Amino acid sequence: MTTALSIYGVALRAALAGNHAPVRLVDVTGRRLRSEHVEAWCATSRLGDAGLIDRCVGPTLDVGCGPGRIAAALTQRGHVALGIDVSAEAIRQARRRGVAALHRCVFSPLPGEGRWGHVLLADGNVGIGGDPKRLLQRCAALAGPSGGVIVEVDGPGEPSWSAQVALSDGHRTSRPFAWASVGID
């Protein structure tokens, strides 16, 4: 069985080449939980980005930066931004956009701990590790006493959950990993 990072990396390369890259998050029985929008993550911007970017004042750490869409926009506005991601392909694509990006896990030691103006969790990344409370505590520690954490959550009526899930591209399904989703309710 393959890893989620392998499926995600293939989808990122396909999206970068302008091809449709369908992936979905599934539960352990294979039932679709949500479709992931890899092409949107690889775009220059998507609906909602401006609101997130406008809230980032001062140096920003983009956790799970993917191909660097938001970190690139912050940099273009003259902000200091650093992207981190566990996907090597995502980091390669972010760096091609001119983003300062590190191949790191948010729970590993990171530069500027306790000094970031904002720590950003966009594109569903509040689900990293399957424990939003633990992730938010870590992000608050990264931001420090004068910083803040900006989180993009699911819309009204969407349930919050935490589970073992897998990533599927329709041909392959990854090994299970812990993930969560947080609705605004």
Side-chain angles (χ1 to χ4, degrees):
M1 193 176 285
T2 191
T3 67
L5 288 176
S6 174
I7 291 172
Y8 179 52
V10 169
L12 283 172
R13 285 188 294 279
L16 181 65
N19 298 316
H20 183 53
V23 294
R24 60 188 187 277
L25 206 57
V26 297
D27 67 15
V28 292
T29 69
R31 181 179 59 91
R32 184 177 62 85
L33 298 171
R34 69 174 3 138
S35 293
E36 299 298 347
H37 305 286
V38 179
E39 293 95 342
W41 299 336
C42 292
T44 304
S45 67
R46 71 176 190 100
L47 187 64
D49 283 357
L52 291 171
I53 293 164
D54 289 345
R55 288 172 176 80
C56 294
V57 179
T60 300
L61 178 65
D62 185 359
V63 176
C65 69
R69 182 186 81 250
I70 294 176
L74 287 165
T75 301
Q76 289 167 358
R77 286 190 180 189
H79 296 289
V80 171
L82 175 65
I84 61 166
D85 205 292
V86 296
S87 165
E89 180 60 30
I91 294 302
R92 277 191 288 278
Q93 289 188 23
R95 288 177 179 165
R96 281 188 205 120
R97 287 183 182 210
V99 171
L102 297 175
H103 187 212
R104 300 268 174 88
C105 171
V106 65
F107 297 107
S108 299
L110 295 169
E113 292 198 25
R115 298 189 312 264
W116 289 100
H118 283 98
V119 177
L120 181 62
L121 292 167
D123 298 331
N125 286 330
V126 69
I128 291 171
D131 185 348
K133 182 178 178 181
R134 177 177 175 241
L135 177 62
L136 291 170
Q137 288 171 335
R138 171 64 173 147
C139 289
L142 289 166
S146 62
V149 180
I150 299 172
V151 182
E152 185 179 43
V153 296
D154 291 337
E158 294 293 325
S160 296
W161 53 265
S162 177
Q164 289 290 309
V165 300
L167 198 61
S168 175
D169 64 5
H171 305 288
R172 301 174 301 156
T173 300
S174 75
R175 290 189 296 266
F177 60 95
W179 197 258
S181 182
V182 176
I184 196 165
D185 298 338

